[in-house]
């Protein structure tokens, strides 16, 4: 019944069959979002957090052209070690990676596609892609946003980094009918900081409230995702001025070097980490843990409805 390119691990398949709570995880955050070995440690700990919160993790990636839902520990290690050598795969890249039998790390967009194929409804990550600053000239809008418009997977994230234009990102999501829920907050979190100054229309304060909204969308037979924006824990957030300066200098450096397209997000992430002396990496790791925990709780609530 599955798509012929999809391979679901035994554990995930069993969880799907018995209607257990499952949380999908992406692999670009492993290969392109963090350095080795922290990337592998984080990916494995995230899975553990999901299990400890009563759900089954399904890390998603592409190996030898197969779309994998449920990577093994060894496969996660392999992706993490290969790092930037693994292709970063979004929707447009999928046909090529499959037909050539290549390995690929999945972004939010392609992780949503594979999760939906496998029947997984909740996905935890760090930050989503969005409308880049200067998009009025560059037209750089992440394919993640179009995927959120069409593919029915709810994404728990810490908002989006201010390497993006957060105002335009929210407008784009609104136009495309994507519901954005602030979890315990009235504004869009800016990844490293709890606040961004951009107000959100909807706030929810419990996993069950979120699960009910996801169920209502599915009952309406509306296709498309949802964004659950979960602010970083107060103790791990960064100083607003420090991170703003780091982002601004990194964006300028990317412009100076003429970095564009799919390279820009990984470039900015690694540059910000260097400029902040690794402090941003620590925050990044902690907020992913926080999102994994919430996603597991939402997934559990959802299966109980
Ligand atoms: N934002 C982060 N960390 C990440 C990414 C985004 O804070 O690792 C990754 C995700 O995989 C996301 C992708 O889907 O970058 C977006 O890339 P682009 O802007 O090229 O669409
Ligand atoms: Mn882009």
């Amino acid at each position: 019944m599955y798509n012929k390119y999809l391979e679901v691990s035994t554990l995930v398949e069993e969880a799907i069959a018995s209607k257990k709570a499952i949380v999908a995880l992406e692999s670009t955050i492993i290969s392109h979002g963090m350095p080795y070995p922290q990337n592998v440690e984080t990916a494995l700990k995230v899975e553990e957090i999901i299990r400890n919160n009563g759900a089954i993790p399904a890390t998603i990636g592409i190996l030898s052209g197969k779309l994998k839902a449920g990577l093994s520990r060894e496969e996660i290690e392999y992706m993490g070690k290969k790092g930037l050598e693994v292709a970063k795969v979004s929707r447009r890249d999928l046909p090529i990676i499959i037909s050539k039998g290549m390995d690929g790390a999945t972004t939010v967009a392609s992780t949503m596609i594979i999760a939906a194929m496998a029947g997984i409804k909740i996905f935890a990550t760090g930050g989503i892609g969005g409308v880049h600053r200067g998009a009025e000239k560059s037209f750089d809008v992440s394919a993640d946003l179009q995927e959120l418009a069409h593919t029915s997977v709810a994404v728990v994230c810490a908002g989006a980094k201010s390497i993006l234009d957060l105002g335009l990102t929210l407008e784009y999501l609104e136009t495309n009918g994507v519901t954005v829920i602030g979890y315990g907050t009235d504004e869009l979190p800016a990844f490293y900081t709890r606040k961004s100054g951009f107000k959100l229309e909807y706030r929810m304060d419990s996993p069950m409230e979120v699960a009910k909204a996801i169920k209502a969308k599915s009952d309406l037979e509306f296709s498309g995702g949802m964004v659950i924006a979960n602010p970083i824990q107060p103790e791990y957030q960064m100083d607003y001025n420090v991170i703003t300066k780091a982002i601004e200098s990194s964006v300028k450096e990317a412009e100076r070097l003429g970095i564009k397209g799919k390279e820009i997000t990984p470039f900015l992430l690694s540059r910000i980490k260097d400029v902040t002396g690794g402090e941003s990496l620590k925050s990044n790791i902690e907020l992913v843990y926080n999102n994994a925990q919430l996603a597991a709780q939402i997934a559990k609530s959802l299966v109980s409805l």
Side-chain angles (χ1 to χ4, degrees), residues 88 130 132 139-143 260-262 264-265:
K88 174 182 163 188
H132 279 263
F139 263 51
D140 191 348
V141 177
S142 174
K260 289 198 199 74
K262 68 193 284 193
I264 191 144
T265 300

Side-chain angles (χ1 to χ4, degrees), residues 26 28-29 33 88 107-108 127 132 142 144 161 191 262 265 269:
E26 62 156 305
T28 292
I29 191 175
K88 174 182 163 188
T107 61
V108 168
H132 279 263
S142 174
D144 292 352
K161 291 198 174 66
F191 199 86
K262 68 193 284 193
T265 300
L269 296 181

Side-chain angles (χ1 to χ4, degrees), residues 1-20 22 56 58 60 66-70 98 112-121:
M1 87 182 183
Y2 284 141
N3 182 287
K4 68 175 178 180
Y5 300 121
L6 179 65
E7 278 183 14
V8 181
S9 73
T10 318
L11 246 157
V12 173
E13 190 159 21
E14 191 272 330
I16 293 166
S18 54
K19 303 217 177 339
K20 282 193 191 140
I22 311 174
I56 304 292
I60 289 178
K66 293 284 177 221
L67 310 178
K68 299 266 200 177
I98 290 175
M112 288 176 74
I113 295 171
I114 299 168
M117 278 182 185
I120 304 170
K121 298 186 172 67

Side-chain angles (χ1 to χ4, degrees), residues 101-132:
M102 290 166 66
D103 298 334
T106 52
T107 61
V108 168
S110 54
T111 302
M112 288 176 74
I113 295 171
I114 299 168
M117 278 182 185
I120 304 170
K121 298 186 172 67
I122 312 287
F123 164 18
T125 188
I128 52 169
V131 180
H132 279 263

